[in-house]
Amino acid sequence: VAPYTITYFPCRGRCEALRILLADQGQPWKEIVVTMQEWMKGDLKASCLFGQLPKFEDGDFVLYQSNTLLRYLGRKHGAYGKDDKQASLIDMMNDSVEDMRLKYMRLIYQEYETGKEKYIKDLPNDLSKFEKILSNNKGGFLVGNQISYVDYNFMDLLQNLQVLSSNCLDSFPSLKSYVERLSSRPKIKAYLETDEHKRRPINANGKQ
Ligand code: 6SG
């Protein structure tokens, strides 16, 4: 069986949640790292369905769009809730995580020098919604009582936010214990301790 393959830039970026999911599910994968120089040549870009990375391969099956990749693997590995309603709640949560990720990426790639202070000041507005969701769900995950693809995505984003602003979760105890709990799941912990993970910058422009 051909292993999963991730083709992406040399950063965590839009793929790290996916890698954490694969690690936690005990699935090996292969990385094809594309440097900016290679990407600028244009032929790989021209071959990508929407002209962007990540690209993901499961044997002959090719997919694009990072959130689609998370959902594909969530479906395949039982990390997509227990029924249609839970699956829809998980999708809803993930859409909101994506909204937050886009704001984060706008900061990192477009206005880091001018916008960081305001971004950090506004962050509790978004975080408080998730704090409430988590404190209301006794299951310990965003939805239900088993891990789903959105938990990997949210955990990755929260870790990035803690790098940006080390005390941003201090007034959100549920978020704080959620990140700690997920990142100490044995397979996730082992992955987070690899050089492969540690050496990979969060973002392609080196800002964090
Ligand atoms: C970049 O945006 O930004 N893909 C990126 N950029 C290259 O030519 N909706 C989909 C998804 O979820 C979004 C894909 C995403 O999968 S991700 C892409 O393909 C392109 O459009 C992270 C990001 N990085 C900034 C950056 C580093 C390398 C390419 C983009 C800065 C811009 C171009 C070179 C340096 Fe750059």
Side-chain angles (χ1 to χ4, degrees), residues 100 117-132 161 165 167-172 175:
M100 279 189 74
E117 207 177 323
K118 178 168 168 28
Y119 178 89
I120 290 173
K121 184 167 86 57
D122 291 346
L123 199 49
N125 280 326
D126 288 338
L127 292 177
S128 60
K129 312 291 191 302
F130 285 96
E131 172 71 15
K132 199 165 155 193
L161 293 176
S165 167
N167 50 10
C168 70
L169 300 186
D170 284 0
S171 38
F172 302 112
L175 290 178

Side-chain angles (χ1 to χ4, degrees), residues 7 39 44-57 61-72:
T7 304
W39 183 251
L44 176 60
K45 182 175 174 73
S47 78
C48 293
L49 198 55
F50 303 108
Q52 292 194 310
L53 297 178
K55 172 184 184 178
F56 183 84
E57 292 160 272
F61 183 58
V62 183
L63 275 180
Y64 298 91
Q65 292 290 2
S66 58
N67 290 294
T68 293
L69 311 182
L70 285 171
R71 289 191 292 267
Y72 176 67

